[in-house]
Every structure is written in structure tokens, then in C-alpha cells.
Amino acid sequence: MRAIILAAGLGLRLQQPPGEQFPKCLLRFDGMTLLERHLRMLDAAGVTEIVLALGFQPEQVKAELDRLGHSPHPEIVLNQRYELGSVLTVHTVADALTRGGDVLLMDADVLYDERILAALVAGDSVNRLLIDRDFETGDEPVKLCLRDGLPVELRKQVAVGLEYDTIGESVGFFRFSEQTARRLAQIVAGYVERNQEKMPHEEAVRDLLLEGGHAFEIADVTGAPWLEIDFPGDVARARDEVLPQLQRWSGVPSGVTP
């Protein structure tokens, strides 16, 4: 199993002061960067093949990797046009998507409990989505809608009249079998060929879900704390609300340092 961590974006909505901007994966909580948390949790879950998709300020991320001395060293792939959408970043790591085996596709800017990752990696080869039914409504969350246990929508805006019996927020982590990962790479390549590089990669995943032919399991992680960090207020929420709830796992502190 291979993990692809998307960490290329500028993070403009975080409103960092000019000249002091840094990749969101380097945000620190309890003295530990999000990147270090990702690496430790993946290692604990037995996922040792890791690909980092970088773009903005890659040298800062490389310096953090050098500091951590993580082994094996993650593979680094650069998206030189990182200011465009994340679909281009996924296209940049097409080789990692298609070289075989199950693939985890993960946003880097998420602070999350170990139960989130455990639900994603459990079992044999499978396609899997994560849903959190306890979410704040609004335009920002990517909604995952189900009907009879099957995904029928993955978008921030749910179409009026769409029939579904379950709705929640997509955590932003996906698992794809080898065959499905290869198909996703083809869909993403189509976006790039049509000059739609500015699209979010979730649109390509949505196309994959709705075209059929790929069975997806749905793992309900409602109750497990997590937060995607996009805005300044999210940093405070992550520190004050999410961090104190995280379960402790070997070698990684979960509480707020006094």
C-alpha cells in the first residue's frame, strides 16, 4: 500500500503574512508538524511507501524531512505549477498512482485521530471512502451523499432534488485499489488535456464514483476528531478543540503541552 500526500498548495486562505508563508503541512500542533504526524501515523499503520506531492516552498518541507530523518525517505514529486488546482498535483503523481498496489490519496492539511487512518487502511485491497455524518453545513465541506449505501455525490454543492438517504462530510482521504487508481489517473489526465488544471481533485474522484464499475466501501468515522485546516480560525480550532481529543499512539503526544 502506498500513501500519496498532497502538499503542493499555497494555502492562501490561511492568510499568512507576506514573506512568512510556509506550506500548511508544516503547521505545528503541540510542537509537531502535520507532516510529522502523517509520517508517524502511516508508519504505525504499516504504510512505509510514501509519496509527497510538493509545490509551494518545497525546500522548507525538505528541510523538515531532513530534521525528522524519516526512513525510508518519502519520495518527492514537484508540481511546478502549484498555483493551479489540485487536479494538476494529482496528475503530477500519476506514476505513483499507477505503479501497482492499493493507493491512499491524502490531503496534507488535516489534523486527525488515528481511528481515521485505521478505518482507511483496514483489510485487503479495496476502494474506500470516509464519511463523517456529524459536520457543519455550509459551502465549504465536501459532502458525500449515499443512497442505499452507495455514493451518489461528492461535492461542496449538492444538486437540488438529488435523492440520497445519508449525507456527511468527506474526510478528504481516499483509498483506491490498483485498477481504480489507474482509472483515476486517466480521468485526471483528461482534465489536464482539456485545460481544466484549476479544478479540485475531488471532481475527478467524483467522476470516478459516478461512472460506475468501481465498488466502494464506505467507512463511517463519525465521532473520531479531525479537521481540515483552511482558514485562520481552523488553526485555533485544531489547537483548542481537536488536539485535546486525539487518541495517544506510541511515540506521538496527543495532549496540549502546558
Side-chain angles (χ1 to χ4, degrees):
M1 188 181 300
R2 179 181 316 106
I4 300 174
I5 302 176
L6 304 180
L10 286 132
L12 291 175
R13 295 182 296 180
L14 205 57
Q15 299 177 6
Q16 300 176 45
E20 300 179 22
Q21 293 174 303
F22 58 87
K24 287 193 290 182
C25 67
L26 300 184
L27 284 166
R28 289 183 178 273
F29 297 95
D30 203 13
M32 186 181 303
T33 62
L34 291 178
L35 177 60
E36 182 176 358
R37 287 179 178 274
H38 274 298
L39 296 179
R40 290 200 183 196
M41 291 181 72
L42 286 165
D43 186 62
V47 182
T48 58
E49 186 180 354
I50 300 171
V51 179
L52 273 176
L54 305 181
F56 175 66
Q57 298 286 358
E59 296 306 322
Q60 292 194 44
V61 181
K62 292 177 182 178
E64 171 68 355
L65 288 174
D66 290 342
R67 183 188 73 83
L68 295 174
H70 187 271
S71 181
H73 196 283
E75 176 185 346
I76 293 175
V77 180
L78 289 179
N79 175 10
Q80 301 290 354
R81 295 188 294 161
Y82 56 83
E83 72 280 0
L84 298 178
S86 57
V87 76
L88 183 60
T89 301
V90 175
H91 182 61
T92 304
V93 294
D95 176 70
L97 274 176
T98 59
R99 69 176 64 149
D102 277 23
V103 175
L104 309 180
L105 189 62
M106 311 176 70
D107 288 333
D109 57 352
V110 182
L111 180 65
Y112 59 99
D113 188 272
E114 61 179 328
R115 288 170 287 179
I116 300 283
L117 186 60
L120 194 65
V121 303
D124 296 328
S125 181
V126 70
N127 299 310
R128 184 171 291 141
L129 307 174
L130 304 181
I131 188 170
D132 184 352
R133 293 177 290 102
D134 183 16
F135 74 105
E136 296 180 3
T137 59
D139 294 336
E140 189 58 30
V142 176
K143 286 85 172 175
L144 175 58
C145 299
L146 311 176
R147 185 169 65 239
D148 298 328
L150 301 178
V152 293
E153 185 57 285
L154 181 74
R155 236 178 202 172
K156 291 184 177 183
Q157 301 293 335
V158 178
V160 176
L162 178 69
E163 295 184 4
Y164 58 87
D165 51 52
T166 304
I167 184 171
E169 183 174 1
S170 170
V171 175
F173 298 163
F174 307 98
R175 178 174 173 178
F176 305 109
S177 68
E178 178 176 337
Q179 179 182 6
T180 307
R182 290 180 183 276
R183 178 57 186 145
L184 178 62
Q186 294 173 348
I187 293 172
V188 167
Y191 273 78
V192 175
E193 291 170 3
R194 297 189 299 271
N195 297 316
Q196 294 178 303
E197 297 96 335
K198 294 185 178 181
M199 299 295 289
H201 68 282
E202 289 89 354
E203 283 295 300
V205 177
R206 177 181 183 268
D207 291 347
L208 182 70
L209 298 178
L210 299 185
E211 75 175 6
H214 311 282
F216 274 86
E217 290 186 1
I218 309 297
D220 191 331
V221 296
T222 303
W226 69 282
L227 184 68
E228 182 177 2
I229 302 168
D230 289 320
F231 300 97
D234 293 336
V235 178
R237 284 187 60 198
R239 181 190 64 236
D240 300 334
E241 299 176 23
V242 177
L243 188 64
Q245 299 181 64
L246 299 186
Q247 290 190 345
R248 184 180 300 272
W249 66 95
S250 178
V252 183
S254 61
V256 179
T257 301

